Amino acid sequence: MRYKLFFLFFVTSIFCCQSGDEKYIRDLQISYRDISAGYFGADQKLFLVHSSCKEFPKEIVVFVHGSPGSWRDYKKFILDETLRNKYCLVTLDRPGFGNSMVDMSMPDIEKQADLIYEAMQDFRRQFSKLKEGTVFVGHSYGGPIIASIAKTRSSKFDQFIFISSPIDPSLEEIRWYNRIASYSLIRFLLSKEMNHSNEEMMPLREQLSGLVKDWKSQAKQFIVLHGDHDMLVPIENVKFFKNLLILGNKLTKTIVIEDENHFIPWTQHDLVVKSIMELEN
C-alpha cells in the first residue's frame, strides 16, 4: 500500500497540471455553445468555467476540486444533459491551481472558502436571473473548503455535497510521502501545483479542528458520499460528519459505497448526478 500511494502521488504530479485551457474550451464550445469561462471575484479572482447559465432562471451548482486538481475534474458534469437542463453549472480552479493564482500557495481552507464565495457573488451579479441558493459539491480537500462556506457564509437556501472528504481532525495525519515532498530537492522536481498540494496537507489537521469547533450552519441540506475502500480519506469520517451535522439539526443523508475508492467523481458519475438531482428545490 505504501508504494502504491507513493506511485500515485508522483504520477499525479506529472498529469495534474493541464495546459491549453483556452483552446480546450473553444473545442467544447463547438458542441456546447453556452459554455464560457472567465475570472470572477474581488481583489483576487478565480478562474471559472460555466455552462447552461444563460437560459431560464436556474439554481447554481458549484464544483470544488480536491488537491491537486483543476476545473477539468468536473468537465463531465458540466456537459451532463440531465444537470444542464436543471442547473447553472460552475467548475473552478482553486487558488494555486490551474489558472487561479498558480504562482501563489494558499494552504488555508478559510481563505480559500472566502475567495470562492466572493467569486460566486461576483458571478451572480453578472448573471442576475439565477435563482437564490447554491449547491456546493466538494471532493476530497474541496470538502473542508465548502464546509467552511457552510459554517460562515451559507443561507437557508444552500445545499452541500461532500465526496470523499476529510472532516475529523483526529483522522488527519501527515503521511510519509508528504514529508518527502517537503525536501528541497523533491520540491524542485515537482510542479508548482504539486508543491501547493503538499503545502495544503501540512496544516489541515489544525484547520479542521478550528472548522468543527462551535459548528453551526444555516444551510438546508447535506449529503455525504464516501467509499468504504478509500485509501486516502478514512471511511470513519462519515460517522464524524453524521454527528456534526445532526448536532446542527440539519437534514443529512450519508451514502457509503461498497468496494469504492477515493475517486468517486470519476468512478460514480451517475450516483453523483442522482444525488444532485434529488436535492430539495
Side-chain angles (χ1 to χ4, degrees):
M1 178 64 71
R2 171 176 296 189
Y3 297 104
K4 287 182 180 178
L5 290 173
F6 185 77
F7 178 77
L8 174 65
F9 187 78
F10 281 97
V11 166
T12 306
S13 73
I14 297 173
F15 294 106
C16 75
C17 317
Q18 305 175 66
S19 58
D21 276 341
E22 186 176 343
K23 180 181 185 303
Y24 189 74
I25 292 169
R26 284 202 307 268
D27 290 343
L28 290 178
Q29 289 170 333
I30 295 173
S31 300
Y32 302 89
R33 295 184 179 180
D34 60 0
I35 286 181
S36 188
Y39 289 88
F40 297 85
D43 296 331
Q44 295 176 299
K45 297 182 182 295
L46 301 181
F47 182 74
L48 274 59
V49 180
H50 53 90
S51 73
S52 68
C53 298
K54 299 178 182 179
E55 301 174 0
F56 57 89
K58 297 178 179 179
E59 194 172 1
I60 302 176
V61 178
V62 182
F63 298 96
V64 182
H65 65 78
S67 185
S70 78
W71 72 267
R72 294 197 198 194
D73 293 355
Y74 293 105
K75 182 199 75 173
K76 190 175 180 181
F77 291 93
I78 67 170
L79 302 182
D80 186 285
E81 288 302 330
T82 300
L83 293 177
R84 282 166 52 83
N85 288 335
K86 184 177 180 181
Y87 292 104
C88 162
L89 304 168
V90 178
T91 177
L92 55 86
D93 286 336
R94 292 194 294 103
F97 299 94
N99 300 288
S100 294
M101 301 175 282
V102 69
D103 292 326
M104 176 186 296
S105 177
M106 189 179 292
D108 188 313
I109 57 175
E110 289 187 8
K111 289 182 179 179
Q112 292 202 37
D114 287 344
L115 288 181
I116 290 172
Y117 180 83
E118 290 171 2
M120 294 314 303
Q121 291 298 102
D122 187 25
F123 183 84
R124 281 189 173 278
R125 284 191 288 270
Q126 299 189 39
F127 292 84
S128 57
K129 293 184 179 180
L130 292 168
K131 288 184 178 179
E132 195 169 10
T134 301
V135 177
F136 292 90
V137 181
H139 173 244
S140 195
Y141 188 88
I145 293 174
I146 68 169
S148 181
I149 294 174
K151 181 179 180 180
T152 62
R153 300 278 202 166
S154 64
S155 75
K156 63 181 180 180
F157 302 102
D158 295 333
Q159 303 181 79
F160 293 79
I161 298 179
F162 302 94
I163 306 174
S164 309
S165 298
I167 193 68
D168 186 345
S170 70
L171 297 174
E172 196 60 35
E173 60 180 353
I174 297 174
R175 299 176 183 268
W176 61 272
Y177 51 79
N178 296 125
R179 299 185 189 281
I180 292 176
S182 298
Y183 295 156
S184 298
L185 177 59
I186 302 300
R187 287 180 56 83
F188 176 77
L189 296 173
L190 294 176
S191 65
K192 290 179 180 179
E193 285 88 346
M194 281 305 299
N195 281 315
H196 295 168
S197 174
N198 198 57
E199 289 162 5
E200 288 181 335
M201 298 302 107
M202 296 304 184
L204 183 56
R205 179 171 183 153
E206 181 181 353
Q207 291 175 11
L208 289 178
S209 295
L211 175 64
V212 301
K213 183 179 180 181
D214 300 324
W215 171 266
K216 60 180 179 179
S217 175
Q218 296 184 40
K220 180 165 61 174
Q221 183 177 4
F222 297 90
I223 294 179
V224 179
L225 304 177
H226 214 108
D228 65 358
H229 284 182
D230 192 321
M231 63 182 180
L232 297 178
V233 179
I235 184 65
E236 288 78 12
N237 278 279
V238 173
K239 182 179 180 180
F240 194 93
F241 260 119
K242 281 184 179 180
N243 293 335
L244 183 70
L245 300 178
I246 290 174
L247 183 65
N249 297 316
K250 297 298 178 182
L251 179 61
T252 304
K253 180 179 181 181
T254 59
I255 301 173
V256 175
I257 310 165
E258 293 185 4
D259 301 321
E260 187 54 85
N261 59 34
H262 185 67
F263 304 100
I264 291 174
W266 293 269
T267 60
Q268 296 286 341
H269 172 86
D270 291 346
L271 176 60
V272 176
V273 171
K274 182 174 182 288
S275 299
I276 296 172
M277 294 298 294
E278 290 179 349
L279 288 169
E280 293 186 353
N281 292 319

